[in-house]
Amino acid sequence: MARPSPTPAEFTADRIGAVEAAGVEYLPEDARDSGPRNLAAVFLGANLTWTNVVFGAFAILFGLSFWQTVTSMVVGIAVGTLAVLPTAGIGPRTGTNMTVSSGAFFGIRGRFIGSALALAIALGFAAVTVWTSGDAIVAAAHRLLGTPVGDVVHAVAYAAVAALMVTVALYGHATIVAIQKVVVPVVGGLMIVGVFAFAGTFDPGATGGEYALGGFWQTWALSAVLFAAAPISYGPTIGDYTRRISPKRFGDKQICAALAAGMFTGVLLPSLFGAFTALTFVNPTDSYIDDLVAASPAWYVLPIVAISLFGGMSQGVLCVYASGLDLEGLAPRLKRTQTTIITAAVAIALLYVGVFVFDAVESVTAMTVALNAVITPWVAILAIGALRTKAYDPVDLQAFAQGRRGGRYWFTGGWNVAAVVAWLAGATFGMLTVNTTLYVGALADIAAGVDLSTIGSAVLAGAIYLALSRFPSSASRHRIARSGRPNSCDFASARAG
């Protein structure tokens, strides 16, 4: 049977204001109409949102001072950004999103791990984005117009923010990129103005109280892990945008530099804003957003609404768009628009459960750190694979969607045992060493309470993967034995694995 050819360019065109037809299928060179500047704009704009602002405030609530928070912030964001940088070159070479591309390292069936993780992260962060933006709008409306602040009003605000996110996500890549280019100057500028709005009551020597985990280093590590989670959580999403960049026109250094600039700056600025403003509240409560609106000068309340709408949409759109692509990768018979609607509905349901059933602050912290513990080893394996692999077979990567068995990335029954075992070991260690106020792993005290879930899971998974992938899979050895000599696919498969 002849090998299927990649999707023609006319079916993968991408225009602003038009619904993107392409899903996770291979995008040919003619469809690569994006570039590094777009990549930087996407991840800069997507991070200028209340989610990262609230994370900055969380560190103060944990009991850290402003400068202690800044050090944990810089270290955490830098570690998270460096972790995902090597993966930036995968999408341009595979022409598809990151979870489908992960089949080159995990196997055609092994890539389901990445799809499941990406779905969980996208849905979780979409819910957090709607929660923070909706709360800000309700609080601002109450101060300006005297509207009520009950559960019904919050539910309506959440629905309105979610509807805006889903609408933009349905249009797809070109429209998302165009909106991010508007979000960057608008939201970034409003946050800078906000520093002056709250500067009069800022006290850099104040803290949020006692250390949340009983000691400085334990609490500082929790804060750093929380900040690292933002860049790492985008690991499965990066390919959604790099797949539209031509590797013939742009080199890896250009793509990585653009991603690093957008990611690091995008997470740092709102996080600093959150920590800065949290220390201006005279009588802080458990709700940072409510405190922000209450302490804000009257003239800055409308900018808070603008940040809520534009910032919430910018991050939420990336989450919803990514979740739609990931679900399409699992259910190729569905269209991207259909899977986007399905995953958006699930995200909204998660939001209502998290806000109205559980404590929102503790739920968000625990969810973020726990997801980070299982996604980090997956990202580490992809980063190692990306550094060792320059050539991919885009046709064989689409084997699952085309209902085919075998090929370069089939490994052992569709699974690369080395990568799967390494990820399982890393994720298990990560979950056992998580240390938050809501969930404490069985090995959380292994380093006197300092959270090792991120660094430890990545190092363990990477070491095991490197050790096991030195040897070809059993399936590769069987093919070599039958033919009497190795072929290029056998060596490439073993090297990619």
Side-chain angles (χ1 to χ4, degrees), residues 67-287:
W67 293 112
Q68 290 170 345
T69 296
V70 170
T71 59
S72 70
M73 191 182 296
V74 171
V75 171
I77 298 171
V79 169
T81 301
L82 289 173
V84 300
L85 276 190
T87 68
I90 296 177
R93 290 183 170 85
T94 62
T96 186
N97 75 330
M98 198 68 80
T99 53
V100 173
S101 299
S102 71
F105 314 112
F106 282 85
I108 294 302
R109 290 173 174 168
R111 74 175 180 81
F112 298 160
I113 295 173
S115 294
L117 292 174
L119 272 172
I121 287 178
L123 293 175
F125 276 88
V128 172
T129 302
V130 175
W131 162 56
T132 53
S133 297
D135 277 6
I137 292 172
V138 170
H142 175 69
R143 179 170 175 183
L144 291 175
L145 306 174
T147 55
V149 293
D151 289 349
V152 174
V153 178
H154 280 88
V156 172
Y158 297 151
V161 174
L164 183 61
M165 284 168 27
V166 175
T167 300
V168 177
L170 286 173
Y171 278 102
H173 176 269
T175 303
I176 293 173
V177 172
I179 286 178
Q180 299 293 11
K181 291 181 178 180
V182 175
V183 168
V184 170
V186 172
V187 177
L190 290 177
M191 285 186 179
I192 292 173
V193 170
V195 172
F196 296 97
F198 290 90
T201 54
F202 173 67
D203 181 5
T207 65
E210 296 181 358
Y211 293 128
L213 296 182
F216 166 72
W217 285 113
Q218 295 91 330
T219 306
W220 185 92
L222 172 62
S223 176
V225 169
L226 199 61
F227 289 123
I232 292 174
S233 69
Y234 283 114
T237 309
I238 293 170
D240 297 350
Y241 303 92
T242 58
R243 67 189 179 130
R244 290 275 183 185
I245 299 176
S246 169
K248 295 180 179 180
R249 298 197 304 273
F250 303 101
D252 285 352
K253 290 183 178 179
Q254 291 174 283
I255 298 172
C256 287
L259 178 63
M263 192 77 78
F264 185 85
T265 307
V267 179
L268 181 65
L269 290 181
S271 299
L272 283 171
F273 179 79
F276 180 89
T277 52
L279 285 172
T280 67
F281 304 153
V282 178
N283 296 305
T285 68
D286 291 335
S287 174

Side-chain angles (χ1 to χ4, degrees), residues 373-374 377 423-433 443 457:
V374 295
W423 173 77
L424 281 173
T428 301
F429 178 85
M431 289 301 296
L432 289 175
T433 52
L443 299 179
S457 64

Side-chain angles (χ1 to χ4, degrees), residues 257-480:
L259 178 63
M263 192 77 78
F264 185 85
T265 307
V267 179
L268 181 65
L269 290 181
S271 299
L272 283 171
F273 179 79
F276 180 89
T277 52
L279 285 172
T280 67
F281 304 153
V282 178
N283 296 305
T285 68
D286 291 335
S287 174
Y288 165 81
I289 296 294
D290 289 345
D291 292 339
L292 181 75
V293 174
S296 170
W299 62 266
Y300 195 68
V301 176
L302 281 178
I304 288 176
V305 175
I307 293 173
S308 302
L309 291 173
F310 283 94
M313 177 182 63
S314 65
Q315 184 182 59
V317 163
L318 257 71
C319 295
V320 174
Y321 178 69
S323 65
L325 288 174
D326 292 322
L327 182 57
E328 187 203 359
L330 293 173
R333 293 186 179 182
L334 296 177
K335 295 182 179 180
R336 181 191 65 82
T337 50
Q338 296 171 322
T339 55
T340 299
I341 293 173
I342 293 171
T343 54
V346 175
I348 296 171
L350 288 174
L351 160 71
Y352 288 134
V353 171
V355 173
F356 296 126
V357 178
F358 300 103
D359 178 89
V361 173
E362 290 192 344
S363 298
V364 169
T365 303
M367 178 205 74
T368 302
V369 176
L371 284 176
N372 206 40
V374 295
I375 192 64
T376 301
W378 184 83
V379 170
I381 292 169
L382 254 67
I384 293 172
L387 291 172
R388 300 196 304 170
T389 308
K390 297 302 180 184
Y392 298 84
D393 188 326
V395 174
D396 276 352
L397 281 173
Q398 299 290 337
F400 174 76
Q402 296 162 352
R404 294 186 289 113
R405 296 167 61 89
R408 178 174 176 176
Y409 307 115
W410 189 247
F411 296 102
T412 304
W415 302 82
N416 182 4
V417 176
V420 173
V421 169
W423 173 77
L424 281 173
T428 301
F429 178 85
M431 289 301 296
L432 289 175
T433 52
V434 163
N435 190 7
T436 70
T437 55
L438 186 64
Y439 168 74
V440 179
L443 299 179
D445 291 330
I446 193 172
V450 174
D451 193 309
L452 297 179
S453 59
T454 298
I455 298 296
S457 64
V459 171
L460 182 61
I464 293 175
Y465 179 59
L466 285 171
L468 295 181
S469 61
R470 292 177 59 190
F471 307 99
S473 68
S474 59
S476 295
R477 291 196 300 269
H478 181 60
R479 287 196 298 269
I480 293 172

